[in-house]
Amino acid sequence: MLAFLAELGANAYAHLSAGIGAGLVTIGAGLGIGRIGGSAMEGIARQPEAAAKIQTAMLISAALIEGIALLSAVVCLLLNLKA
Amino acid sequence: MIKNSTFQDHHYNILLIACLACLIVFLPLSAAQASSGSSGSGHDTHSGGHKAPAKGHDTHAAKGHTTDGHATQGDHQSGAFDMGETVMHHLVNIETHELPILNKTSHGWAWKEIPVDGLKFSVGGIDMTVNKPVIFMMLGGFILLFVFIINFRGGKLMRNRLAHILEVYVLFIRDEVVYPNLGEEDGRKFLPLFLTFFFFILILNLSGLIPFGYSASANINVTAGLAIVALLVIQGAGIAKFGFFTHFRSALVPSGLPWPLLFIMIPIEFVGIVAKPFALCIRLFANLVAGHAALIVLLLLIIVGKSFIIAPFPMVGILFISTMELFVAHLQAFIFTILTTLFVSLTLHPSH
């Protein structure tokens, strides 16, 4: 497959890496945000009166993960568009 | 000012229908604009970005006419319609702006595109040109000033719809964000700053969602400026409370460590100080850019599909993504505010 890519030109590797990177970013962010959401659901189900506080904390943690994920997504986008 | 609210439910229906009509009318036209290119703007700095897709579209049209659509392979070989280039141009273009005026170009009807970076000047080698983000930041700032000044006259809240909406936002930031994290005493000092952060970022985010608007927070320099303010506030709060040396000793030097570890820990803590605002900057920027890129790519699907028959499907997608963008605009303003609040709180109440 690498020989095939080499025939396509040097930029093909950049596009390939951008695609693989975007997939990895999705896996990581999905795992992280999924865990946060799941735990928040559980917490709210156990203690519905604390829902507002849990939601705020959930949003903050999700935003922290999302920030890293989007940074990587931007890197992938630049790899794809500028390569 | 409206004293008695007579806004009934059916008005919302009319508003919704009007919004949908705007969406359905304007968006295919803006998509057509993306492919048709502009003429006569006189800017050669962005010609590589803008003229190339236009030329590609021309060649495609010519080939489509001559060979009855059998030229798709050849089109891809010569780079007929460069989607990446068009998306990048729409994301990074800060020199021209589209106005809701239709004019006829050689490629068909297009929105009038005017240069907006006319006021060029630099201070000490730094480019201070008043370009599109600056203009929209000024607009947003003036709108905020106007809205708040007319609604809070004489220290009293006016009784109208807009003032009530503003009150909800202000009370939310005060009671859910600032006071629980900073305490009432410190919170009262910092509240104006955080409210300014929130409303400014909110109006920057939302201005990209109205037709012919532009989101200044989708430009990394704008978010970097906001993040630098946040950095100065986070460190300045500590310096003001503890003094310069005490603050940086507690911020940089963790207590209770054997001294050789300090050679590792001080650089790490320093990176931590810089990384917090950096993350704020990247988060806001990337969220906005990701939303706009998704919208543009969906719109360009109409052009890539080369048919108006597929236009309704991207339209539905755009409707959903625009609604999500409305949520993201509020969420990111909230996240920026609450994270800055948390960082200030960490500086003011060190754990050791």
Side-chain angles (χ1 to χ4, degrees), chain B residues 131-144 195-210 212-227 284-285 287-289 292 325-326 328-330 332-333 336:
Chain B
N131 48 22
K132 194 150 79 167
V134 180
I135 288 170
F136 272 84
M137 277 161 73
M138 287 174 177
L139 264 178
F142 278 123
I143 289 171
L144 278 187
L195 284 174
T196 312
F197 265 150
F198 179 79
F199 280 107
F200 191 55
I201 295 171
L202 183 64
I203 202 159
L204 291 192
N205 292 349
L206 287 179
S207 64
L209 290 176
I210 57 175
F212 304 101
Y214 170 76
S215 192
S217 46
N219 186 308
I220 197 162
N221 303 302
V222 175
T223 60
L226 288 167
L284 184 56
F285 163 72
N287 266 290
L288 269 289
V289 164
H292 291 187
E325 281 300 295
L326 207 61
V328 166
H330 286 80
Q332 289 310 315
F336 192 100

Side-chain angles (χ1 to χ4, degrees), chain B residues 287-319:
Chain B
N287 266 290
L288 269 289
V289 164
H292 291 187
L295 288 177
I296 293 167
V297 167
L298 270 176
L299 273 177
L300 292 184
L301 282 182
I302 301 172
I303 296 165
V304 171
K306 295 162 189 159
S307 162
F308 274 100
I309 297 167
I310 66 157
F313 303 106
M315 284 294 111
V316 173
I318 281 165
L319 190 65

Side-chain angles (χ1 to χ4, degrees), chain A:
Chain A
M1 196 182 84
L2 289 181
F4 169 68
L5 282 171
E7 276 177 20
L8 288 178
N11 286 347
Y13 288 110
H15 294 303
L16 177 71
S17 66
I20 292 174
L24 288 175
V25 169
T26 316
I27 290 174
L31 280 177
I33 295 179
R35 252 188 84 74
I36 292 168
S39 309
M41 281 288 178
E42 205 173 310
I44 292 172
R46 281 169 196 267
Q47 217 172 349
E49 67 272 13
K53 278 190 173 180
I54 292 174
Q55 265 172 359
T56 309
M58 179 186 80
L59 282 180
I60 294 169
S61 330
L64 287 172
I65 291 182
E66 201 195 5
I68 301 292
L70 279 171
L71 174 61
S72 327
V74 167
V75 170
C76 295
L77 189 75
L78 289 179
L79 262 179
N80 199 13
L81 294 181
K82 294 241 167 139

Side-chain angles (χ1 to χ4, degrees), chain B residues 144-156:
Chain B
L144 278 187
L145 262 181
F146 179 72
V147 159
F148 274 94
I149 284 173
I150 62 165
N151 281 312
F152 290 88
R153 263 177 299 196
K156 278 168 77 179

